[in-house]
Amino acid sequence: MFELLRNHRRWMQFILLILIVPSFFLVGIQGYESFIRREPELATVAGQPITRSEFDMAHRNQLEQFRQRLGSQFDPALVDTPAMREQLLNQLIDQRLLAQVAIDNRFSVSDGTLRNTIAAIPQVQDNGRFSPERYRQVLAAQGMTPTSFEAGLRRDLAVGRVLEPINQSAGAPDAVVASLESALTQQRTVQLRRFAAADYRAQVSVSPEDIQTWYDGNKQQLTVPEQVTAQYLVLDEAAATQGVQVKEEDIASYYEQNKNRFGQPERRRASHIMIELPAGASEDARKAAHAKAEALAKQAAADPAQFAELARANSQDAGSAGKGGDLGWLAPGMLAGPLEKSVFGLAKDQVSGVVESPSGLHIVKVTEIQPAAIKPLAEVRDEITAEIRKQIAATRFSEMATKLTEIVYDQRDSLQPAADALGLKLRTASGITREGLLPADQAGADAAASGPDAQLLDNPRVRQALFSPDVLRDKQNSGVIELSPDTMLAVRVAQVQPEHVPPLDKVSANIRERLLDERAAEAARKAGTAALDGWKADPATLPEGFGASAVVSRQQPGQLSQDVLNAAMRLPAEPLPAYAGVNDGNDYVVVRLDKVEAGASEASARDLLARQLGAAWGQAEDAAVLKVLREQYQVKILPEAASALQGQDQSAG
């Protein structure tokens, strides 16, 4: 057969051509391109694509960074949203765009700039100076070579030069800074009149028909999401220490082996006279200092009782001279070499000779000695017992964790065998959803939100495990979830309650309270606006019912809520007095403005404000430049991006 093909190769090529060419006319060349399955393209920059695989890689890196930063609180549902994915795609587009601009404009970075940038990286420095050895070690740990790292850094620095002129010149105009500073520091004297909704609650009513009408028109708001009732086991330090007994002989043995932990070493109180002797002193200066110290040492030794007076008059240690040279209580290891040897070698009230240290020359006197002491066993029994129990618990915890892992995997349809084998209590909690824990009034009995383990069950990793296919659909045990080094959980779905709207009788009381609140708030608003209209008509007269005057500013709002403060600060400065009304929760508040005064801020605060505004201004200018560059380089977001932004798998469909 193969011999035939070799001998008639030209004929076979002709036959294949006849078979293939008509198929082009039938399905088209584009059909062959789609057959090859080209990489999906999400966007193009100057005709160059950003592919789905590039986006997916960046997306995985981003999620991993969130996971490392948030630890056990990492919840993909909160950070992996369409808005976050859209932001990521725009970042990739901007990076590609700036790189293309840098290439087109031949932006480059000199070798000197590259060297200086690398040398300034703290991780590659040793004692503040660039270390070639550490540089290579750091790169090797990241799986990189100096050549590849420097090429990437040179490219990044070149790209950074695209927006560098904008960033260097960015700064908010002085007039803008001054205007904002004035708005932040301006002080206003106001009085408030509150129309509280609670005062009008008795004047409104809600009928059963009102409740039914609201229920029929707002079922969307009443919808309770899919929830599960979970069985779970908690393995923690309390579980591992349960039933642990500590023997008396173990306590005694521990005490004997660790006596140094339960005692206090010998301490001494000392005083000194110090004569300064700089490290670079000349020979003459050294001789003079030693002569002075020797003379003082002789005086002190001749009359130790006068040591404090000698220290006050002659010691050059400003910290202790005024206290007669007193250094306080000293323990072994607190002083250096010769000084420590001298202090712990003297008897009480004995004076040393001249002792030299890096700080100068010293004459030392020991004033008190407190001998080493060991606490009796009776005083430290509880401490030792707790320590031994903790050590036993650590060993038991490790053993129990291993056993728990084995059992929950071996018997996937129940947690009871693991509970029985380890002596753990099988617990139950309801009202757990994908997004969190339902309030107790919605969850019913054993509500997780009101239980002692609410924080554990609301952990994103626990909720993610409960709603994984095997656990949710097949009612199998989850794996062991390690929430912290000393806390582990295993969970199982006992019951699933689908998304539903509660019947009217279950929610009518809540609806009634809601309608009463709304109608009382509306009555308060109507009363407040009617009074406000009258006060505006006669602003000069101070009406009754207003509270005491208060001076407020945007930086110092006092007791004002944000809505009330905004109303007060937005009133025109003239004519005065002026009035404004605003809803404050269910209440209605009327603000009377009596006085407006210019404020002032310190120079440091003004400089900080200018820097903050400059940074914001620079970001706005960067965004404007990127918008223009996107148009110039014909950036297009392609239809394929929609599925990526929604988080759909590219193999779907």
Side-chain angles (χ1 to χ4, degrees):
M1 178 66 179
F2 291 105
E3 186 67 25
L4 174 65
L5 290 174
R6 279 197 299 270
N7 294 337
H8 300 85
R9 185 169 55 192
R10 292 180 62 83
W11 280 101
M12 293 305 298
Q13 290 174 346
F14 179 71
I15 292 171
L16 288 172
L17 184 63
I18 292 174
L19 293 174
I20 291 173
V21 171
S23 63
F24 275 103
F25 292 100
L26 293 173
V27 301
I29 296 175
Q30 184 62 39
Y32 278 93
E33 291 183 353
S34 62
F35 177 76
I36 296 172
R37 292 290 294 181
R38 291 175 57 193
E39 177 74 24
E41 298 175 359
L42 307 188
T44 58
V45 179
Q48 298 300 313
I50 294 175
T51 64
R52 179 64 187 263
S53 61
E54 291 178 78
F55 175 83
D56 288 343
M57 181 179 295
H59 183 238
R60 285 192 297 271
N61 291 338
Q62 183 185 62
L63 290 181
E64 183 58 32
Q65 290 173 1
F66 278 120
R67 183 178 288 106
Q68 293 177 2
R69 191 182 312 156
L70 300 176
S72 62
Q73 294 301 312
F74 172 70
D75 186 354
L78 296 179
V79 298
D80 188 16
T81 63
M84 293 288 285
R85 287 190 287 269
E86 182 177 11
Q87 184 182 32
L88 177 61
L89 178 59
N90 279 315
Q91 289 173 356
L92 292 176
I93 290 172
D94 290 342
Q95 290 171 4
R96 181 70 59 82
L97 178 63
L98 293 174
Q100 190 62 49
V101 173
I103 292 171
D104 291 349
N105 290 274
R106 295 181 173 82
F107 287 160
S108 62
V109 175
S110 68
D111 292 342
T113 299
L114 183 64
R115 283 194 300 270
N116 293 337
T117 302
I118 294 173
I121 301 173
Q123 289 81 357
V124 300
Q125 292 178 349
D126 188 6
N127 292 325
R129 300 186 65 181
F130 173 72
S131 168
E133 182 179 355
R134 179 166 293 185
Y135 176 53
R136 289 190 292 269
Q137 290 174 349
V138 170
L139 292 183
Q142 301 295 324
M144 302 177 68
T145 65
T147 301
S148 62
F149 173 73
E150 289 163 15
L153 180 59
R154 189 187 294 272
R155 181 175 60 251
D156 292 342
L157 291 173
V159 170
R161 291 191 59 193
V162 176
L163 296 177
E164 185 178 13
I166 300 169
N167 296 329
Q168 289 178 344
S169 62
D174 292 341
V176 174
V177 177
S179 176
L180 187 56
E181 180 192 8
S182 173
L184 289 172
T185 59
Q186 186 185 80
Q187 295 181 329
R188 295 191 165 206
T189 302
V190 298
Q191 294 174 282
L192 305 182
R193 170 72 159 88
R194 180 175 294 274
F195 293 82
D199 296 340
Y200 296 86
R201 193 175 174 88
Q203 302 176 19
V204 298
S205 61
V206 175
S207 67
E209 292 76 16
D210 294 335
I211 295 174
Q212 181 70 58
T213 300
W214 193 96
Y215 177 81
D216 293 337
N218 296 275
K219 289 185 177 181
Q220 184 78 19
Q221 296 184 42
L222 298 171
T223 300
V224 178
E226 180 184 34
Q227 59 176 295
V228 300
T229 298
Q231 293 180 330
Y232 63 101
L233 300 175
V234 179
L235 175 57
D236 54 13
E237 185 178 348
T241 56
Q242 186 175 2
V244 171
Q245 299 294 325
V246 180
K247 299 177 182 178
E248 284 298 321
E249 55 265 33
D250 293 336
I251 296 175
S253 175
Y254 190 96
Y255 176 75
E256 290 298 327
Q257 294 173 17
N258 297 275
K259 271 190 175 180
N260 60 326
R261 287 182 50 195
F262 306 112
Q264 177 177 283
E266 178 184 317
R267 298 195 308 164
R268 294 185 168 215
R269 189 162 193 165
S271 298
H272 81 146
I273 301 170
M274 189 189 83
I275 304 301
E276 291 181 346
L277 182 60
S282 65
E283 187 62 29
D284 290 342
R286 289 184 63 83
K287 287 180 179 179
H290 272 277
K292 184 175 182 179
E294 293 287 353
L296 288 169
K298 288 180 181 179
Q299 284 183 266
D303 188 4
Q306 297 299 314
F307 190 92
E309 292 303 322
L310 285 173
R312 288 190 184 94
N314 299 279
S315 180
Q316 294 174 343
D317 176 13
S320 66
K323 298 182 291 185
D326 184 27
L327 295 172
W329 286 101
L330 303 170
M334 292 179 64
L335 298 174
L339 261 182
E340 177 162 309
K341 185 176 180 181
S342 176
V343 168
F344 285 89
L346 296 171
K348 183 181 178 184
D349 294 328
Q350 185 179 0
V351 177
S352 73
V354 177
V355 181
E356 185 170 349
S357 80
S359 58
L361 304 175
H362 308 262
I363 302 98
V364 179
K365 176 188 174 185
V366 172
T367 56
E368 291 184 68
I369 298 177
Q370 189 179 76
I374 301 295
K375 294 180 182 178
L377 176 59
E379 289 187 21
V380 296
R381 179 184 298 278
D382 291 344
E383 182 181 346
I384 292 175
T385 302
E387 182 66 29
I388 295 174
R389 182 178 285 113
K390 194 170 185 179
Q391 291 178 359
I392 296 173
T395 302
R396 284 191 63 187
F397 183 88
S398 178
E399 295 170 351
M400 292 173 74
T402 301
K403 197 168 185 180
L404 177 63
T405 303
E406 292 174 353
I407 298 176
V408 297
Y409 275 112
D410 289 344
Q411 302 185 46
R412 298 294 303 275
D413 59 348
S414 175
L415 289 173
Q416 192 64 54
D420 295 339
L422 298 172
L424 299 176
K425 180 183 177 181
L426 184 59
R427 312 179 195 185
T428 302
S430 62
I432 306 172
T433 75
R434 296 176 190 270
E435 290 76 29
L437 307 182
L438 291 177
D441 60 342
Q442 291 186 11
D446 298 320
S450 58
D453 301 318
Q455 186 174 0
L456 300 179
L457 296 171
D458 197 28
N459 186 285
R461 294 175 59 197
V462 175
R463 289 188 277 109
Q464 188 176 6
L466 282 168
F467 286 90
S468 63
D470 290 349
V471 179
L472 180 66
R473 183 186 62 239
D474 301 332
K475 305 293 192 297
Q476 294 187 351
N477 299 337
S478 72
V480 174
I481 307 166
E482 184 177 352
L483 299 183
S484 67
D486 61 354
T487 304
M488 295 180 174
L489 262 73
V491 296
R492 179 176 176 272
V493 171
Q495 184 181 356
V496 180
Q497 188 172 3
E499 180 180 281
H500 67 285
V501 176
L504 178 60
D505 62 312
K506 296 289 185 182
V507 295
S508 61
N510 290 338
I511 295 174
R512 183 176 185 278
E513 289 300 311
R514 177 170 184 158
L515 291 176
L516 284 173
D517 287 343
E518 290 177 355
R519 293 179 181 184
E522 178 61 20
R525 189 191 66 79
K526 286 182 178 179
T529 53
L532 177 61
D533 291 340
W535 295 331
K536 284 182 176 180
D538 184 16
T541 303
L542 177 62
E544 296 181 356
F546 277 78
S549 296
V551 179
V552 298
S553 69
R554 291 195 180 275
Q555 292 179 316
Q556 296 179 329
Q559 301 299 316
L560 273 60
S561 69
Q562 190 63 51
D563 289 336
V564 176
L565 178 66
N566 288 340
M569 301 306 294
R570 288 170 181 166
L571 278 168
E574 359 181 274
L576 296 179
Y579 290 90
V582 62
N583 293 315
D584 188 22
N586 286 338
D587 299 344
Y588 188 80
V589 175
V590 176
V591 180
R592 174 185 168 100
L593 174 62
D594 292 317
K595 188 176 181 181
V596 177
E597 295 178 290
S601 59
E602 296 180 357
S604 58
R606 193 178 305 114
D607 291 342
L608 176 61
L609 176 63
R611 289 196 299 272
Q612 292 173 336
L613 282 177
W617 200 278
Q619 292 174 359
E621 290 189 343
D622 284 352
V625 171
L626 286 169
K627 182 179 180 181
V628 172
L629 290 174
R630 283 192 175 209
E631 295 175 358
Q632 182 179 343
Y633 280 78
Q634 299 178 342
V635 171
K636 296 178 182 178
I637 297 179
L638 304 177
E640 183 67 30
S643 61
L645 299 184
Q646 292 302 318
Q648 299 173 9
D649 193 292
Q650 61 178 318
S651 62

